[in-house]
Amino acid sequence: MAENKVVHSMVEVTVNPNRAAAFASFNRPENGGWDITVDRIKSAMAEKLISHGILEDDIRMAVEQKRYDENICVAKWDAPQHGVNGVIKYHFSTESHAAPVENEHGVVDYKNLGVVKNITAGTPIASITMPTEGTPGKDITGMAVPQKKGVPAKFNVGAGTTLTEDGTQILAAVNGNLVYRNGAFCVDETLVINGDVEVATGNIDFIGAVTVKGSVFEGFRVTSKRDIIVNGTVSGAELHADGNISVKIGAINSQVAAKGNIRMGFCENSKVTADGTVESASFVGGEIFSRQKIIASGKGVIMGGKLTALDGIEASVIGSEKYVKTELTLGNNAVLSEERDNLEKLILEMEDKADQLGKILTTLAEMQKKGKLSPDREQMKSDSLRNRLRLQSEIKRSKARIAEIDDTLQLTQNLSISCKRMFYPGVTLRINSCVLSVKAVTNRARATVENGEITFKPL
């Protein structure tokens, strides 16, 4: 009978092509052959140049558990940690469309179409996550494995914006209108309306300057924290600017207010207020107020309405052949005199109301002596007393203001109303605290105060 052949347990080690892992397998010994050992496995691994990521515990357990004829992972690499790509997150929509805006109460304003996106300097427009480098790995032979570095986010920095030094934010660099064009957000300091301000644009409320190449139509409003330029007309509309306003053709039945100067081609039946000078070729009707000068240039016509200036009034023609009622008020003292007259009227009205409330309180007091007042009459008593005290306080403040005005009116101002051609009857002039009604046509004259009276002097 033949003797049984001795079979030793042999180990075979295989390595992945990218040297990311190694596997070992060993057979079962027979007829007293050598069993597998940890050292024999590690020796076979050394022959394959495996020196990193050796799984010592897994090798030992495989030997102890006699896991014959299995493919056992005996080494693993340190995989490279690839970098993360940069990301840009915009805080505003890149799409623009005009649609009525709904307020916090759910009311839709059909004249506010959201055409303008006001933004102030320093406001974040986008947040940028920077790419990461990642870390290299090491294969099972100890060789370094390079990682893939993150790719920076792609973006453009538009006009009127700036990238922070650390590259993590795009900010508005100026106050203006935020727009997305040519793949980038931009901030325009001047808003240009290429046509008219009407149904298609809605009202304009802008933090920067506004240029309207057309006109501003009835019922619409343009507001600017800087200047407003309108190339056409303003008809039945409103303009409000913290800077200057220019209406190249003119304004009709409109409200125009500026903290700077106002210049118009013509001005008809409009309410105009300026901290600077108001200038127009003609003023017809309306109410004009300037903290500096009112100048009727060109044709230089002032006809009808009420005009008030603190520094001076200049025109060629004031009034008309039809004796249209025209009121010109000049100087701070004149303004104060008018305020004083209004306060005196108001005091008389308040004193009358206070007397009526006093009579009511007297009647209720007499009724209370005879018995308890009903809840309604108690409320009437309380309301009457409160309103009477409020009126008395208002009367006191108004009288104090009159006293202040009287002190100021003692001062004089060297002011004049200049008319290059003629004053017409129907014109009332008020300079400082003096008043003059023009009774006859007066040519080429300057109205000024002399010896407490308004007099005409030749130009």
Side-chain angles (χ1 to χ4, degrees), residues 343 390 392-402:
L343 283 171
R390 179 182 58 79
Q392 288 173 339
S393 178
E394 287 291 333
I395 291 168
K396 184 177 180 181
R397 276 197 293 268
S398 297
K399 287 183 176 180
R401 175 59 181 158
I402 286 176

Side-chain angles (χ1 to χ4, degrees), residues 172-197:
V174 294
N175 296 341
N177 182 35
L178 181 67
V179 294
Y180 187 80
R181 62 171 176 260
N182 300 326
F185 273 107
C186 303
V187 180
D188 295 333
E189 292 186 87
T190 298
L191 175 67
V192 178
I193 305 298
N194 288 317
D196 302 317
V197 174

Side-chain angles (χ1 to χ4, degrees), residues 146-205:
Q147 81 280 20
K148 292 181 181 178
K149 296 180 180 180
V151 178
K154 292 183 179 180
F155 58 87
N156 296 316
V157 180
T161 70
T162 184
L163 184 67
T164 56
E165 287 187 10
D166 61 6
T168 61
Q169 284 187 311
I170 296 176
L171 308 177
V174 294
N175 296 341
N177 182 35
L178 181 67
V179 294
Y180 187 80
R181 62 171 176 260
N182 300 326
F185 273 107
C186 303
V187 180
D188 295 333
E189 292 186 87
T190 298
L191 175 67
V192 178
I193 305 298
N194 288 317
D196 302 317
V197 174
E198 36 83 40
V199 175
T201 62
N203 293 329
I204 302 298
D205 186 354

Side-chain angles (χ1 to χ4, degrees), residues 117-288:
K117 290 182 180 177
N118 285 304
I119 192 168
T120 56
T123 301
I125 296 172
S127 296
I128 301 165
T129 302
M130 305 300 289
T132 60
E133 287 282 323
T135 54
K138 187 180 286 188
D139 69 20
I140 59 175
T141 66
M143 297 291 290
V145 180
Q147 81 280 20
K148 292 181 181 178
K149 296 180 180 180
V151 178
K154 292 183 179 180
F155 58 87
N156 296 316
V157 180
T161 70
T162 184
L163 184 67
T164 56
E165 287 187 10
D166 61 6
T168 61
Q169 284 187 311
I170 296 176
L171 308 177
V174 294
N175 296 341
N177 182 35
L178 181 67
V179 294
Y180 187 80
R181 62 171 176 260
N182 300 326
F185 273 107
C186 303
V187 180
D188 295 333
E189 292 186 87
T190 298
L191 175 67
V192 178
I193 305 298
N194 288 317
D196 302 317
V197 174
E198 36 83 40
V199 175
T201 62
N203 293 329
I204 302 298
D205 186 354
F206 185 42
I207 199 170
V210 179
T211 295
V212 181
K213 292 190 174 180
S215 298
V216 183
F217 287 159
E218 184 174 356
F220 289 91
R221 180 180 65 250
V222 177
T223 304
S224 169
K225 292 294 184 183
R226 292 175 58 191
D227 299 339
I228 297 174
I229 297 174
V230 179
N231 288 343
T233 59
V234 178
S235 179
E238 295 181 37
L239 302 182
H240 300 274
D242 285 359
N244 302 319
I245 292 177
S246 172
V247 183
K248 293 189 177 178
I249 295 181
I252 308 170
N253 298 323
S254 296
Q255 294 185 36
V256 182
K259 292 183 179 178
N261 301 321
I262 296 175
R263 186 182 182 117
M264 297 171 286
F266 65 82
C267 181
E268 293 184 9
N269 299 318
S270 296
K271 183 175 182 179
V272 179
T273 305
D275 287 349
T277 294
V278 178
E279 182 176 353
S280 176
S282 63
F283 295 96
V284 178
E287 185 176 340
I288 316 297

